[in-house]
Amino acid sequence: GLAWRQCGVGRAEHLWADSGSRTAAHLQDMEKARPLWDNPLQFVFACISYAVGLGNVWRFPYLCQMYGGGGFLIPYIIMLILEGMPLLYLELAVGQRMRKGSIGAWKIISPYLCGVGVASVVVSFFLSMYYNVINAWAFWYLFHSFQDPLPWATCPLNSNRTGYEEECEKTSSTQYFWYRQTLNISPSLETSGTLQWEQALCLTLAWLVVYLCILRGTASTGKVVYVTASLPYCVLIIYLIRGLTLHGAVNGLIYMFTPKLEQLSNPKTWVSAATQIFFSLGLGFGSLIAFASYNDPSNNCERHAIIVSLINSSTSIFASIVTFSIYGFKATFNYESCINKRNLTPLPTETIPYHTDTLPPSCRQAVQGTGLAFIVYSEAIKNMEVSQLYSVLYFAMLLMLGIGSMLGNIAAILTPLTDIKAITSRFPKEVISGFVCLINCIISLVFTMEAGNYWFDIFNDYAATLSLLLIVLVEAIAVCYIYGLRRFEKDLHTMIGRKLNWYWKAMWAFVSPLLIISLFIFYLTDYILAGTLQYQAWDGTQGQLVTRDYPSYALAVIGLLVASSTMCIPLGALLTFVRKRLKRERVSTVA
């Protein structure tokens, strides 16, 4: 409701009609009133803290494993050049030039585009609702990391204390701790269960931390990002040194760096590379536009776009080296233990981590789903010396990555709201921030119920994918063909003092939009061909995941998640058109 109030056309129409003095005056007023980052480095750290997230540690290594090891780097780097870097620069430039959040920035470009900003806010709201649950899980694991032994190191005793819990014996101690003691997961989505108060408290703590980090706007966020951006690298370096000394680590690294070039002929390899770049940089959420709006108008956003995108991709590769060394150790340890227990014929050493399809299920590697970082890493950590120390470091790192991303998500919501004078004139920013966090926290309690993880997967899979592709596609078209590429080029020349390179113009006008359209068609086709949507449910009686069909009400929620954000774009344009028409009729009637 509040976001749509900015779709009024009055002032924005004048800005569109008179692109000269009025726009310049508007921007000068904004420069005087708008808070700024203390220095350009603070802005870079904020962007890195936002972009470098859990996907760099979880998703990228998984994609490397799925699509050809080192060979995946080829499409990944190509997509970085063709899609990631140009679109990142586009959003930073729009935010810095217009000096508004997502709604205000696109409204200045054209009144009919206010729905683009609203769509970004809606998607960011959905993301914030479920993303902070990951931080709650990180807090949960961090608190339990101080126990000796680690609570996921062994199976707990049953109620009679005559043996181990039956469910734990059918799976593993780490999976049991995740699915039963952390999530207390229900057998299906239809069985909602009760609220898990321990997880609810951890979630409340996670939201309290986020609120304290954003309490003073850029003044507090700017200080926090130094920690959230730098601490994960310190932990990764420690893990790299430790990981390379572990037995079997080389097996994982050999697998990662051995390119399987035949995967380059697989279309899904290229789609996965493009998708990873797109979502890893956080395009379309409005966070980058919000961060850039607090820049000095003369800031060199081109250089910063290149720096942030290269650091983000380098971090993914660096994190993969660490992750694969851990994978190699975990796989080798479990494999050798399993072989010794079952007296099976060993496979060649270099194939241990992943080529174990002929082995019993307990000897194989399970590397899918959101619990990957919690199950796989905790499995490896429990077998390390001084496991408590490495557990604390790892989950503190996850927490920093999660909080850093949350700061960007919340900025994408708060910046457009605080740009509305009708709101800021009545309520201080601390109250607005607190209200947004409180609403998010209350709604996100649904993810702490016994069926909460299934709802988490629904939001994670469907709340943003198609919506973000559509948002960024409209952004690129709007800048190049509505605002005008030449006009935008002049704006950039005014800001950074040099002409726009042909590379940026070619990517913005042709290449990047075509890639986004291709991705959009692929995902749309994939959803249609998939038929009945399904999910993975935990069956405690078998100690494994089973596939189930989504119930009808879950399919309705999925449809609403996609429609509620994508429909903002045409509805915003329609609302603006109607208001303009009514205004003209009133003027003609008075005349």
Side-chain angles (χ1 to χ4, degrees):
L2 292 173
W4 282 111
R5 293 182 63 183
Q6 281 209 338
C7 282
V9 297
R11 183 169 175 80
E13 284 178 5
H14 295 299
L15 290 169
W16 177 245
D18 185 1
S19 60
S21 58
R22 289 184 184 274
T23 302
H26 162 79
L27 294 173
Q28 286 175 1
D29 291 341
M30 288 299 301
E31 287 169 19
K32 294 176 183 177
R34 199 167 191 81
L36 300 174
W37 299 106
D38 290 346
N39 52 69
L41 185 63
Q42 204 172 69
F43 165 68
V44 172
F45 268 80
C47 290
I48 292 172
S49 179
Y50 167 66
V52 175
L54 300 168
N56 299 77
V57 178
W58 296 0
R59 185 71 179 160
F60 185 81
Y62 172 73
L63 292 176
C64 282
Q65 177 188 336
M66 289 292 293
Y67 299 109
F72 183 72
L73 295 178
I74 296 172
Y76 180 76
I77 292 171
I78 291 173
M79 290 301 171
L80 171 66
I81 295 170
L82 298 182
E83 176 196 46
M85 204 179 293
L87 294 175
L88 176 63
Y89 181 26
L90 179 72
E91 290 206 347
L92 294 184
V94 167
Q96 184 170 311
R97 177 57 181 165
M98 305 310 169
R99 306 192 58 69
K100 285 274 191 178
S102 55
I103 298 176
W106 296 111
K107 182 183 165 189
I108 292 171
I109 287 177
S110 170
Y112 293 98
L113 293 176
C114 64
V116 178
V118 175
S120 293
V121 172
V122 171
V123 173
S124 293
F125 185 78
F126 288 155
L127 181 69
S128 298
M129 277 169 52
Y130 76 86
Y131 197 93
N132 217 21
V133 178
I134 301 173
N135 292 331
W137 295 335
F139 268 124
W140 171 260
Y141 270 80
L142 182 63
F143 296 151
H144 284 81
S145 296
F146 294 96
Q147 297 182 27
D148 185 19
L150 292 173
W152 56 83
T154 57
C155 286
L157 296 173
N158 57 28
S159 57
N160 297 328
R161 307 188 71 82
T162 56
Y164 294 118
E165 284 284 352
E166 184 180 355
E167 183 180 351
C168 189
E169 286 188 314
K170 290 180 178 179
T171 176
S172 67
S173 58
T174 49
Q175 286 186 310
Y176 179 81
F177 186 83
W178 168 249
Y179 287 111
R180 185 55 53 215
Q181 295 185 297
T182 301
L183 303 178
N184 193 24
I185 197 166
S186 62
S188 68
L189 186 60
E190 290 91 333
T191 310
S192 298
T194 57
L195 196 73
Q196 307 301 298
W197 68 268
E198 301 98 331
Q199 298 304 318
L201 287 177
C202 288
L203 181 63
T204 304
L205 176 61
W207 275 110
L208 180 61
V209 170
V210 170
Y211 175 65
L212 293 175
C213 291
I214 63 172
L215 188 59
R216 301 292 179 185
T218 54
S220 56
T221 303
K223 305 296 187 298
V224 173
V225 293
Y226 286 127
V227 179
T228 58
S230 57
L231 184 62
Y233 290 98
C234 299
V235 176
L236 283 174
I237 291 171
I238 294 171
Y239 258 89
L240 177 64
I241 296 170
R242 180 67 183 117
L244 292 177
T245 63
L246 294 172
H247 173 57
V250 176
N251 297 333
L253 295 178
I254 289 173
Y255 184 89
M256 175 186 172
F257 286 108
T258 302
K260 296 173 180 59
L261 299 180
E262 64 273 10
Q263 282 289 344
L264 295 179
S265 61
N266 182 358
K268 285 193 174 183
T269 302
W270 295 85
V271 170
S272 297
T275 306
Q276 175 64 16
I277 283 288
F278 189 92
F279 293 111
S280 178
L281 290 172
L283 301 170
F285 288 103
S287 304
L288 296 166
I289 293 175
F291 281 155
S293 71
Y294 299 114
N295 269 340
D296 185 274
S298 60
N299 179 66
N300 191 340
C301 54
E302 178 185 23
R303 181 175 61 195
H304 289 159
I306 296 171
I307 291 172
V308 171
S309 56
L310 289 179
I311 289 177
N312 179 67
S313 296
S314 300
T315 304
S316 293
I317 298 171
F318 178 54
S320 293
I321 295 173
V322 178
T323 300
F324 271 83
S325 66
I326 300 295
Y327 278 177
F329 162 69
K330 174 188 176 293
T332 304
F333 183 92
N334 289 355
Y335 172 80
E336 290 178 350
S337 299
C338 193
I339 290 295
N340 293 334
K341 287 179 182 178
R342 295 173 178 264
N343 295 318
L344 297 173
T345 303
L347 291 170
T349 305
E350 64 274 10
T351 65
I352 286 174
Y354 310 100
H355 296 176
T356 54
D357 295 336
T358 59
L359 297 176
S362 58
C363 298
R364 300 177 193 169
Q365 293 301 294
V367 285
Q368 61 181 0
T370 311
L372 171 66
F374 294 95
I375 296 172
V376 175
Y377 260 89
S378 57
E379 177 90 17
I381 289 169
K382 75 174 187 179
N383 297 317
M384 293 181 183
E385 296 178 4
V386 201
S387 56
Q388 287 77 16
L389 172 62
Y390 288 104
S391 184
V392 169
L393 286 174
Y394 175 69
F395 291 111
M397 179 188 73
L398 283 192
L399 202 53
M400 292 301 103
L401 291 172
I403 290 174
S405 297
M406 276 301 300
L407 297 181
N409 298 336
I410 293 297
I413 302 171
L414 288 177
T415 303
L417 291 179
T418 53
D419 285 342
I420 303 174
K421 291 183 179 179
I423 296 177
T424 52
S425 62
R426 297 177 184 177
F427 306 102
K429 290 184 178 180
E430 294 83 358
V431 174
I432 300 170
S433 301
F435 180 75
V436 169
C437 290
L438 180 62
I439 293 297
N440 266 289
C441 183
I442 292 172
I443 297 175
S444 59
L445 286 173
V446 70
F447 301 114
T448 65
M449 299 181 73
E450 290 177 27
N453 194 58
Y454 302 132
W455 288 110
F456 176 93
D457 288 338
I458 286 176
F459 273 73
N460 190 39
D461 292 338
Y462 302 105
T465 307
L466 289 175
S467 307
L468 290 179
L469 290 172
L470 183 61
I471 289 168
V472 178
L473 175 62
V474 174
E475 287 179 356
I477 292 172
V479 169
C480 294
Y481 302 106
I482 298 178
Y483 189 80
L485 189 54
R486 289 185 179 179
R487 181 180 172 191
F488 195 60
E489 185 179 3
K490 290 179 182 178
D491 291 344
L492 288 172
H493 185 268
T494 303
M495 287 195 299
I496 64 177
R498 64 169 177 270
K499 290 185 177 180
L500 190 66
N501 191 287
W502 65 268
Y503 159 73
W504 301 114
K505 290 188 280 188
M507 295 301 108
W508 290 344
F510 304 109
V511 179
S512 295
L514 288 175
L515 278 173
I516 296 171
I517 291 172
S518 301
L519 285 175
F520 192 85
I521 293 172
F522 173 84
Y523 277 109
L524 208 56
T525 305
D526 193 49
Y527 287 145
I528 293 171
L529 295 178
T532 305
L533 298 179
Q534 297 178 318
Y535 68 102
Q536 296 288 305
W538 179 254
D539 188 340
T541 59
Q542 300 181 52
Q544 64 181 22
L545 294 169
V546 295
T547 302
R548 301 187 191 278
D549 293 338
Y550 274 120
S552 55
Y553 63 86
L555 296 175
V557 171
I558 291 171
L560 285 173
L561 285 176
V562 176
S564 58
S565 52
T566 53
M567 291 305 294
C568 290
I569 299 174
L571 285 176
L574 180 63
L575 181 61
T576 302
F577 174 78
V578 170
R579 285 186 174 180
K580 285 181 69 174
R581 192 68 179 265
L582 291 174
K583 185 178 180 181
R584 286 175 187 170
E585 290 179 357
R586 284 198 299 268
V587 171
S588 61
T589 303
V590 172

